[in-house]
Amino acid sequence: MAAGPNGARRRIRRSSRGPERGLAEKPDSWAAHAGRRPEWTQNREGTGGIVNPPVWRASTILYPDIASMDAANGLQDETLFYGRKGTPTTWALREALTGLEPGAAGTMLYPSGVAAIAGAILSVVKPGDHILLPDSAYDPTSLFGQGMLKRLNVEAQPYDPLIGAGITQLFRPETALVLLESPGSLTFEVQDVPAIAAAAKAAGIPTLLDNTWAASHFFKGIAAGCDMVVQALTKYVGGHSDLIMGSVSATAAYFPRLRNTAWQLGQCVSGDEAALALRGFRTLPMRMARHQQSALTVAHWLKAHPLVDRVLHPAFPDCPGHEIWKRDFSGSSGLFGVVLNIGSRADAPRFFDQLQQFGIGFSWGGFESIAIPTSPEKIRRLNSFTPSGLSLRLSIGLEDPDDLIADLSAALDRLRSME
Ligand SMILES: Cc1ncc(COP(=O)(O)O)c(C=O)c1O
């Protein structure tokens, strides 16, 4: 209780009571409150508190005596045991992320999005198993299948991302996991996640969705029937291009094995980085709204440009899976592809090198716009992608879209001038 303006004692209320609170609130309110439990933010008497869970830096946890040390149970979650098992800072972030995926029982954190994908896959496979992954998966996800999983005698088979309920035909007795990524990396096909998840569930096979594009904001993967949902927090949750981190949220049926695998692999993140991710989390809904709006403005401008052959954006009717996007998503983020009808990969320097607003670099989801040339045809194993000209991917940041359009317009003029 705290003293109010009239001297009366009053409870300090602005703090999270747990993941269930997310269901009762609108996303902006949840983002403001998530993970701010009283026991992580307030003094022992409950008479005062701080807004943010503090940054705990820890390796050793000190015990008052040997009896307490002997009584400590390293297998119990959310108790101070040893730094690798987390602190209130990391627990607060886990709780906030669990709230982003209604139906999830818990979330684990990893030092990158790739580590999160690997950790989730390793939580369900064993030698001799078979897994299915979309041909449009993020390249390092496919490479994990072709590399480490192969060494562990787990076969990773690519499937057509637009297969929908037809995925059933690919199931084998030893199929242990179906991966999904919607929309797909570089080509942005939208998958029928509910149909694939339902088919897998009927066959007793777990599903793992990479939900990074929608940031678990515009699409809720667990509610759509998936068992585990990955986010590269590096992208929109971090949002400021200064953090590499990943998470997996899972249902009650899959969370215990996910957590045990993460613990056995020694996966953890620092308190400093968890606090940075929580800071990004607070503004996620507003940033996503702005990313959406600006990306649509830029994409529509590009679509009307004579040098543009295709805009690969789920909100556009010619994007494969657009009807599914309309049915299942509440919006679109800032990442999309463009295929020009001029130039080729060899002409990329002419287009990219003099960009003023866009940086050239990997990753996406930050406040600043990024542009890269892409070659999806080099990594696809099933569907051939045949670009008519130079193909690129844009991550639209928080700049004024007029400036971004002017930058792209000048770049297209540079390409045209080589005709
Ligand atoms: C769709 C998708 N998933 C996962 C990742 C991996 O994230 P990280 O860079 O944090 O390993 C990326 C990174 O670009 C991505 O685009």
Side-chain angles (χ1 to χ4, degrees), residues 78-367:
E78 292 188 11
T79 53
L80 282 176
F81 174 74
Y82 176 58
R84 193 176 353 95
K85 289 279 172 65
T87 66
T89 323
T90 54
W91 304 332
L93 176 60
R94 286 170 61 193
E95 181 165 294
L97 293 166
T98 301
L100 263 190
E101 282 286 350
T107 297
M108 295 307 287
L109 301 173
Y110 302 80
S112 71
V114 165
I117 293 164
I121 295 174
L122 291 174
S123 75
V124 291
V125 297
K126 61 177 185 329
D129 279 348
H130 161 254
I131 70 166
L132 290 160
L133 79 176
D135 200 30
S136 53
Y138 177 53
D139 197 26
T141 306
S142 304
L143 293 176
F144 183 70
Q146 294 160 39
M148 181 166 297
L149 288 183
K150 197 169 173 194
R151 285 213 313 278
L152 297 175
N153 191 26
V154 174
E155 183 191 345
Q157 180 187 349
Y159 69 86
D160 176 352
L162 300 172
I163 197 167
I167 190 119
T168 310
Q169 290 154 22
L170 303 179
F171 293 162
R172 303 181 195 165
E174 67 274 21
T175 304
L177 179 69
V178 177
L179 270 104
L180 302 99
E181 186 182 318
S182 184
S185 275
L186 306 183
T187 41
F188 298 90
E189 301 94 328
V190 183
Q191 295 198 263
D192 194 340
V193 174
I196 295 174
K201 194 154 279 168
I205 302 167
T207 42
L208 166 64
L209 168 72
D210 186 333
N211 206 10
T212 305
W213 184 85
S216 292
H217 175 76
F218 290 130
F219 183 72
K220 304 293 182 187
I222 300 280
C226 296
D227 300 295
M228 295 185 279
V229 171
V230 163
Q231 249 210 90
L233 305 176
T234 310
K235 318 298 177 196
Y236 285 119
V237 170
H240 295 74
S241 305
D242 52 6
L243 172 74
I244 299 252
M245 197 185 285
S247 67
V248 184
S249 302
T251 57
Y254 286 90
F255 183 63
R257 70 187 88 180
L258 176 82
R259 184 172 56 191
N260 281 342
T261 306
W263 282 350
Q264 284 170 25
L265 290 171
Q267 296 292 28
C268 61
V269 304
S270 72
D272 294 84
E273 293 206 308
L276 212 49
L278 265 175
R279 171 170 288 216
F281 184 92
R282 303 291 172 215
T283 56
L284 182 70
M286 301 71 162
R287 285 186 289 108
M288 293 311 283
R290 173 66 184 241
H291 285 298
Q292 162 166 249
Q293 195 184 31
S294 296
L296 285 171
T297 304
V298 174
H300 280 292
W301 179 84
L302 281 163
K303 179 94 179 154
H305 195 284
L307 296 188
V308 171
D309 181 49
R310 272 184 290 163
V311 172
L312 311 173
H313 189 305
F316 283 53
D318 56 353
C319 180
H322 166 73
E323 290 302 325
I324 291 166
W325 172 81
K326 256 188 11 196
R327 184 192 69 190
D328 294 346
F329 285 64
S330 61
S332 54
S333 66
L335 189 76
F336 63 93
V338 187
V339 184
L340 305 181
N341 56 31
I342 185 174
S344 67
R345 179 65 176 76
D347 303 309
R350 184 178 279 268
F351 182 91
F352 289 90
D353 286 359
Q354 291 170 56
L355 287 169
Q356 303 296 309
Q357 297 287 333
F358 287 85
I360 305 169
F362 295 113
S363 203
W364 46 277
F367 62 85

